[in-house]
Amino acid sequence: MRSILFNAGPAALPEAVLHQAAQAMIDIPGEGQSIAEISHRSRFFENVLDEFKQLFRNLLHIPESHDILIVQGGARLQFALIPLNFLPANKTAAFIDSGYWAHTAMEYASFGNQTECIASSKTQYYRQLPDFDPKKINKQLHAYLYLCSNNTIYGTQYHTFPQVDIPLIIDMSSDILSKPINFTHIDLAFACAQKNIGPAGFSVVIVKKSFLETAQTQLAPALSYKHQAAKHSNDVTNPIIAIYTALLNLRHLHDTGGVAAAQERNSQKAHSLYTELDRNSLFNAPVNPTDRSQMNVCFFAKQEQHHQAFLTYCQTQNIKGIQGHIQAGGFRASLYNAVTQEMVNELIAALRDFEKEHA
Ligand SMILES: *Cc1c(COP(=O)(O)O)cnc(C)c1O
């Protein structure tokens, strides 16, 4: 029996997608070989990459002004590649520190380069988004502004992005494909695959072509976004199983109404869970209500002894993956696209039953 999975990442995938991927592991229909065996230079995989990029563009209405790159490695590799590609020695990168991943990206960019934290909500335990003053941006000094759209660990999310007149770079690892995004004013967005896109092993980078023109050229090809774009993301041997499974997931998203329909489902799911947490006498959700994430719902047991007891109770209900990140403590239910309202209802029922038994 499949568990009711609220994993933060690698995350739940739709069961229909897993069945198709399982079939391809033995024999890709019409190819006579496994997805684990096929060449990255094959016509089949060239078509997979093309369809992936086209479907990704269509699903998010990404304008032709932007390139879509599929690159090896996860989000942290992009933390390292972004300053290598876009932070010249005489400039500084401006960061909004909204939590662990934004802060880690800033540390990655500090190696040999300059960073400036221009806003932080650390003293509020990252339970709200930082206050951001656009006057802190210095066009002469700052190469770009970097922020994280959804703070996976602390459960805050940007519902609109700040407007700035320097390039804007956004880590969208944990909320891409969960809602429509206007990419017009975003110079670079990236996401590791293992939250809403598919299995771990690669990242998607959406980069404005005019911004890509400004990238450093004195880089080893495997580290250069420009090189990856010139090679249509098929230079190094890609993680073919992960990308193919992600394509199956994109097709599934398309067939279930696309990103707008996903947003509607995601809003409903998050609303139902936050409503229960705000009502339940034994739990609380401490994130500032206007900054609450629709993807990662963080909550705590009000009484210490209920923490382990609720985890144990969830296990008996076949509910998994709700332990909070070690940095934040408490609980976290991740409600990515593949998590259904029915699954959320099971968690809500568990919260209610636990309250009845322990209040
Ligand atoms: C998961 C996550 C990361 C880290 O991803 P890796 O692929 O493990 O490096 C970075 N940023 C955000 C917002 C995440 O959710």
Side-chain angles (χ1 to χ4, degrees), residues 29-335:
E31 294 295 323
Q33 51 190 317
S34 162
I35 191 70
E37 299 167 321
I38 202 158
S39 167
H40 65 302
R41 303 265 175 247
S42 63
R43 171 63 62 84
F44 172 82
F45 186 65
E46 292 279 354
N47 289 342
V48 166
L49 274 181
D50 287 346
E51 186 185 344
F52 184 101
K53 286 185 264 189
Q54 195 55 51
L55 204 43
F56 207 90
R57 188 181 289 286
N58 294 348
L59 282 165
L60 281 168
H61 301 287
I62 297 170
E64 287 298 331
S65 52
H66 289 60
D67 248 331
I68 299 171
L69 314 182
I70 297 171
V71 296
Q72 275 189 331
R76 272 166 283 198
L77 193 59
Q78 315 319 310
F79 293 178
L81 295 185
I82 287 164
L84 282 177
N85 281 270
F86 294 110
L87 186 53
N90 62 346
K91 291 227 175 183
T92 293
F95 279 80
I96 297 181
D97 170 26
S98 56
Y100 180 81
W101 290 122
H103 198 270
T104 303
M106 188 165 69
E107 285 173 357
Y108 270 64
S110 302
F111 288 103
N113 275 307
Q114 292 206 274
T115 55
E116 183 183 351
C117 177
I118 58 164
S120 175
S121 52
K122 187 172 182 187
T123 54
Q124 288 90 32
Y125 306 103
Y126 297 124
R127 287 173 182 175
Q128 63 184 64
L129 292 172
D131 288 326
F132 167 70
D133 178 3
K135 286 205 235 36
K136 291 224 168 130
I137 297 285
N138 177 339
K139 247 185 121 162
Q140 268 64 53
L141 179 67
H142 293 139
Y144 55 80
L145 173 66
Y146 180 105
L147 63 89
C148 180
S149 61
N150 182 70
N151 297 287
T152 324
I153 291 173
Y154 295 96
T156 61
Q157 183 175 25
Y158 279 92
H159 302 295
T160 57
F161 297 124
Q163 301 266 343
V164 288
D165 57 2
I166 60 171
L168 179 60
I169 296 183
I170 306 182
D171 176 358
M172 296 188 181
S173 288
S174 55
D175 66 353
I176 197 143
L177 296 173
S178 73
K179 60 176 186 177
I181 299 282
N182 180 356
F183 283 92
T184 316
H185 300 293
I186 297 171
D187 293 82
L188 186 149
F190 68 95
C192 56
Q194 67 268 24
K195 278 72 189 255
N196 252 339
I197 299 174
F202 69 99
S203 295
V204 177
V205 178
I206 300 149
V207 57
K208 202 180 266 182
K209 290 172 186 166
S210 57
F211 184 55
L212 188 58
E213 278 305 309
T214 70
Q216 309 282 325
T217 46
Q218 312 290 26
L219 284 174
L223 303 179
S224 161
Y225 287 135
K226 248 184 183 169
H227 179 81
Q228 299 304 327
K231 295 290 181 182
H232 307 287
S233 303
N234 204 13
D235 184 30
V236 295
T237 310
N238 274 305
I240 296 167
I241 299 172
I243 293 170
Y244 179 69
T245 307
L247 171 62
L248 299 174
N249 194 35
L250 293 188
R251 286 183 188 156
H252 183 269
L253 178 58
H254 175 266
D255 294 345
T256 50
V259 168
Q263 179 184 35
E264 219 162 282
R265 291 190 292 269
N266 290 332
S267 299
Q268 184 53 44
K269 278 151 41 187
H271 177 74
S272 63
L273 183 52
Y274 282 120
T275 301
E276 170 58 21
L277 291 168
D278 290 338
R279 182 209 64 77
N280 196 302
S281 61
L282 300 186
F283 297 91
N284 77 315
V287 170
N288 186 19
T290 55
D291 297 334
R292 282 176 171 179
S293 169
Q294 307 222 314
M295 292 284 100
N296 309 97
V297 176
C298 291
F299 59 102
F300 291 81
K302 287 181 187 168
Q303 296 174 48
E304 181 75 43
Q305 78 268 24
H306 287 158
H307 180 84
Q308 189 52 49
F310 185 62
L311 278 181
T312 306
Y313 180 68
C314 284
Q315 267 166 20
T316 68
Q317 301 304 300
N318 199 28
I319 294 171
K320 292 195 182 140
I322 61 154
Q323 175 83 274
H325 189 276
I326 193 155
Q327 293 277 334
F331 303 102
R332 168 179 55 178
S334 296
L335 312 182

Side-chain angles (χ1 to χ4, degrees), residues 1-2 13-29 35 199 244-245 248-249 251-252:
M1 181 176 61
R2 266 177 75 71
L13 285 167
E15 209 171 331
V17 167
L18 297 175
H19 280 293
Q20 289 169 33
Q23 164 65 44
M25 185 56 80
I26 304 301
D27 184 7
I28 308 161
I35 191 70
Y244 179 69
T245 307
L248 299 174
N249 194 35
R251 286 183 188 156
H252 183 269

